[in-house]
Amino acid sequence: MKIKVGFGYDVHQLAPGREFWLGGIKIDHDKGPVANSDGDVLIHALCDAILGAANMRDIGYHFPETSAEFKGIDSKIMLQRTVDMVRKQKRFQISNIDTTVCQEKPKIKDYIPKMQAVLSEVMQIDLEDISIKATTTEKLGFVGEEKGLAVYATVLLIRE
C-alpha cells in the first residue's frame, strides 16, 4: 500500500458586492472573493493538497487564471477534474481530508454539514472523511481586518 500526504493553502482578497462561495455552496455575505473563478478558497486549497500529494504540481498549473476556459468556472468542476486526474493517472483514492477556514465573517458553523455533503458528492468519498473547521485570527492581519480569507487543507491519498 502506498500512502501520500498533501498540503494546500489558498488566500483570496474580499471585495463588496461579490458572491461568496465556500465549500461548494453559496453563502449570503456582503463581500466575496476576488478571483478569476468563483473564488471558492476551500476548494482551491483542497485541489492543491490533492495535487501536491500526487506530485502533480498545483491548481494554477492545471487551471491557469490566464485561460479564458476557466474564467468564472465553478470550483466544484475543478475539484472533480482534479480528483479524476489523480485517480486515473496515479491510481490514488482519497482517504480523508482535513481543512481549516480562517475568516472573521461570516460564521460558517451552520453551513459545514452542507459543505461536507457537497464535497462528498463531488469527490465520491464518505462524509465522515471530510473535516471542515473554522477559526478567526482574533482581528489580526488581513483575515482579522476582513480584507481576505485563507484556507489550509490536508489530504491523505492511498493506493493499494
Side-chain angles (χ1 to χ4, degrees):
M1 176 185 291
K2 183 83 166 179
I3 299 172
K4 298 197 108 181
V5 176
F7 173 76
Y9 173 73
D10 197 35
V11 139
H12 279 286
Q13 180 182 3
L14 291 171
R18 299 187 63 92
E19 291 184 346
F20 189 91
W21 287 88
L22 190 67
I25 67 169
K26 186 177 174 186
I27 297 173
D28 189 38
H29 191 50
D30 62 340
K31 296 179 185 176
V34 176
N36 190 53
S37 66
D38 65 10
D40 191 323
V41 182
L42 193 152
I43 288 181
H44 297 177
L46 189 52
C47 287
D48 267 345
I50 294 166
L51 291 166
N55 193 21
M56 294 178 71
R57 302 195 60 166
D58 60 35
I59 192 173
Y61 178 80
H62 294 280
F63 308 101
E65 66 180 26
T66 55
S67 171
E69 177 186 0
F70 305 117
K71 182 152 182 68
I73 191 170
D74 181 336
S75 292
K76 293 185 295 295
I77 294 169
M78 293 193 297
L79 179 58
Q80 180 63 62
R81 289 183 186 176
T82 298
V83 171
D84 287 347
M85 277 190 288
V86 168
R87 286 182 176 150
K88 289 175 185 169
Q89 294 176 29
K90 299 284 185 144
R91 297 178 297 122
F92 280 110
Q93 297 299 318
I94 298 170
S95 175
N96 72 295
I97 65 166
D98 183 25
T99 63
T100 302
V101 178
C102 304
Q103 67 184 40
E104 295 296 323
K105 293 178 187 171
K107 300 297 183 193
I108 63 165
K109 67 178 177 144
D110 295 335
Y111 297 101
I112 289 174
K114 179 144 187 188
M115 288 185 223
Q116 289 171 307
V118 168
L119 294 175
S120 171
E121 183 177 328
V122 171
M123 295 185 291
Q124 294 298 297
I125 65 173
D126 291 336
L127 277 170
E128 68 182 36
D129 296 327
I130 301 171
S131 169
I132 301 171
K133 304 176 304 296
T135 190
T136 68
T137 58
E138 302 296 330
K139 307 282 185 200
L140 298 173
F142 71 90
V143 172
E145 295 170 0
E146 298 180 45
K147 293 179 180 178
L149 72 157
V151 175
Y152 298 92
T154 306
V155 65
L156 184 68
L157 300 181
I158 56 171
R159 178 173 55 208
E160 298 191 39

